[in-house]
Amino acid sequence: MPELPEVEVTRRKLAPLLVGRRIAKVHTTRPSYFFLTPPARLELELPGARVTGLERIGKYLLAGLHDGRRLLLHLGMSGQLFAENASSVRLLSAAARASLAPDAQARFRPDAHTHLRLEFEDGGPELLFRDVRKFGKVRLLAKGESDPRLERLGVDALEATGAELFASTRKRRVALKSVLLAQDVIAGIGNIYADEALFLAKLRPRRAAGRLTLRECKTLVAAAQQVLLRSIETGGSSISDYVLPDGSDGAYQDERRVYARTGEPCLTCGTAIVRIVIAARSSHFCPQCQR
Ligand SMILES: [Zn+2]
């Protein structure tokens, strides 16, 4: 599943392809839960709009339009956003290529899973949104309109501070790991990056969030940002629930210290990495290094 790093990598690659261009025509598939705005409305209301920016909020992408409207794009589990002329979908992220067959990667042609296709007035490369499992989302937001999905999000993980984490966890007895995954305090940290950040911060996933000191909160937020930025740098990864059909992975996978390393020696002290379940999700940690 694409997490913050994969979405940010996608944003950085797509922004130069979108910003400043005027939409000429919109192609969609039939109405489905993929479309929060009915496809017929997208086809009618998007042409003529010029894209002025592409921002990321948590795991959502928002293309700003010249008249204040915004196009919300969410990759869901298996969504892929890419330019028509991308020489390889690998350019985007491991997540983006995960559900394309290897032989389809060299020269992709729009298929039944390509739910949104934007043509531009300049006649240049189209933007394609493909999603085999259709857990992705598209919604056209009116000027000033928001989406409940965005309203629920806490501060973005890359912008969060330890003081904010400290303030919002007081009196919360829930496990630290649950707080990191909940998205309402800090947005964008998924299972892999939560485990890795907790290892770097030397904190156990089951620690009660409300018992953390300010100093521990600062260490943890810094660790989370270090892990996320490193993943962005390496092009992201897609290791959470995903098996890549061609056996390849995002480079970040090679840098995991605890995630999915159950029973393997800790890279710091040699102790076997332990797996426990918190809030129905796997957590991996070193019982020696993390307290
Ligand atoms: Zn260790």
Side-chain angles (χ1 to χ4, degrees), residues 199 202 204 266 269-272 274 285-291:
F199 176 78
K202 299 183 161 62
R204 288 202 186 194
C266 168
C269 73
T271 304
V274 171
F285 68 97
C286 171
Q288 179 66 32
C289 293
Q290 292 170 258
R291 295 289 165 178

Side-chain angles (χ1 to χ4, degrees), residues 78-110:
S78 57
Q80 304 165 312
L81 272 166
F82 52 100
E84 177 194 17
N85 70 347
S87 57
S88 165
V89 180
R90 286 171 192 280
L91 285 174
L92 294 178
S93 70
R97 70 174 190 263
S99 58
L100 274 187
D103 59 341
Q105 287 175 0
R107 243 192 357 226
F108 178 75
R109 291 171 194 285

Side-chain angles (χ1 to χ4, degrees), residues 250-289:
Y252 188 77
Q253 173 151 11
D254 306 333
E255 305 196 9
R256 283 171 304 135
R257 293 169 173 93
V258 287
Y259 184 83
R261 292 193 65 243
T262 311
E264 294 177 40
C266 168
L267 300 176
T268 302
C269 73
T271 304
I273 299 300
V274 171
R275 173 186 178 275
I276 56 173
V277 174
I278 298 173
R281 307 286 301 270
S282 295
S283 285
H284 312 80
F285 68 97
C286 171
Q288 179 66 32
C289 293

Side-chain angles (χ1 to χ4, degrees), residues 136-153:
K137 293 279 174 270
V138 173
R139 181 177 175 189
L140 182 57
L141 296 166
K143 186 176 180 176
E145 188 183 15
S146 190
D147 184 287
R149 292 165 183 78
L150 302 177
E151 300 298 315
R152 281 194 295 266
L153 296 176

